[in-house]
Amino acid sequence: MNYHIIPVTAFDQNCSLLWCEQTLQAALVDPGGQPDKIKQEVADKGVTISQILLTHGHLDHVGAAAELAEHYGVPVVGPEKADEFWLEGLPAQSRMFGLDECLPLTPDRWLNEGDTVAVGNITLQVLHCPGHTPGHIVFFDDKSNLLISGDVIFKGGVGRSDFPQGDHAALIDSIKRKLLPLGDDVTFIPGHGPLSTLGYERLHNPFLQDELPVW
């Protein structure tokens, strides 16, 4: 799987452009804003957008989703339905951050643990990883060992859990039970900041240094 990271907005959020080399079918993951910038970078790659994928319902990850879905004539897919209240509350999120109003958004398809999403010849596995938000999901390509982790895990850190329905214990459990067992050689693209590997974080992330499960 090919990928290109498009940092957007003042939150420096990693919008990920993923595409299948054989078909040039592509998906945009977490387009948080600056739709014109995203459109230009998609055009530069010469790929065809087939869907918009969302890891969770926070404004900085979904701010341009509706406009881009309409522009490309494609569905919005994800997150898990427990984040519905975040997507319904996008206008309030906009006011909270002093940004232009973002209208409520209803995805064309909610995703659940064990679902898959096809991007050309690529199959992305869906894992439900609550904690940052209750409906947070991640996307994993086991062929290229690439994980799109949203705001679950970062290089040297983990997602915040002080938002409504956040849960730090659930977040750490999601990382330890669902992400780390994917393998040390898995590279992840976080929602913000630089890429890392699960192996590096297992050894060095200060939030993961208490007793780890055996697998």
Side-chain angles (χ1 to χ4, degrees), residues 159-210:
R160 292 175 58 176
S161 54
D162 56 341
F163 296 116
Q165 296 191 33
D167 185 328
H168 182 73
L171 178 72
I172 299 302
D173 184 66
S174 292
I175 296 169
K176 291 182 177 181
R177 285 198 308 109
K178 295 188 178 182
L179 300 191
L180 295 185
L182 296 175
D184 284 354
D185 56 347
V186 170
T187 296
F188 66 86
I189 302 173
H192 308 264
L195 280 63
S196 186
T197 67
L198 293 178
Y200 180 88
E201 299 309 311
R202 182 175 64 82
L203 293 174
H204 302 290
N205 192 309
F207 293 93
L208 305 177
Q209 295 314 301
D210 55 353

Side-chain angles (χ1 to χ4, degrees), residues 5-208:
I5 298 172
I6 309 169
V8 293
T9 78
F11 298 101
D12 201 26
Q13 186 265 320
N14 291 331
C15 170
S16 297
L17 173 63
L18 312 177
W19 72 95
C20 168
E21 189 170 8
Q22 288 77 34
T23 66
L24 297 184
Q25 291 291 304
L28 284 165
V29 185
D30 288 358
Q34 295 183 265
D36 291 340
K37 176 182 180 180
I38 294 172
K39 292 174 193 175
Q40 184 59 58
E41 300 215 22
V42 169
D44 290 345
K45 295 297 181 184
V47 297
T48 300
I49 299 297
S50 62
Q51 57 203 308
I52 309 293
L53 304 178
L54 302 179
T55 63
H56 64 292
H58 285 165
L59 174 65
D60 58 325
H61 288 253
V62 309
E67 179 175 336
L68 290 169
E70 181 178 6
H71 175 77
Y72 292 113
V74 300
V76 176
V77 179
E80 202 264 353
K81 201 172 190 295
D83 266 18
E84 184 173 24
F85 78 100
W86 278 115
L87 295 174
E88 291 176 344
L90 283 169
Q93 290 191 60
S94 305
R95 291 190 294 272
M96 181 172 66
F97 290 110
L99 301 173
D100 293 338
E101 183 171 7
C102 183
L103 296 177
L105 173 66
T106 301
D108 297 277
R109 174 189 172 194
W110 300 102
L111 291 174
N112 298 296
E113 175 85 15
D115 286 347
T116 59
V117 175
V119 182
N121 295 329
I122 297 163
T123 299
L124 299 175
Q125 300 174 21
V126 175
L127 300 173
H128 179 213
C129 293
H132 179 64
T133 68
H136 199 302
I137 58 171
V138 302
F139 299 98
F140 178 55
D141 175 22
D142 62 356
K143 297 294 189 294
S144 60
N145 274 342
L146 184 69
L147 173 70
I148 314 298
S149 65
D151 284 357
V152 175
I153 188 170
F154 305 107
K155 184 173 184 178
V158 299
R160 292 175 58 176
S161 54
D162 56 341
F163 296 116
Q165 296 191 33
D167 185 328
H168 182 73
L171 178 72
I172 299 302
D173 184 66
S174 292
I175 296 169
K176 291 182 177 181
R177 285 198 308 109
K178 295 188 178 182
L179 300 191
L180 295 185
L182 296 175
D184 284 354
D185 56 347
V186 170
T187 296
F188 66 86
I189 302 173
H192 308 264
L195 280 63
S196 186
T197 67
L198 293 178
Y200 180 88
E201 299 309 311
R202 182 175 64 82
L203 293 174
H204 302 290
N205 192 309
F207 293 93
L208 305 177

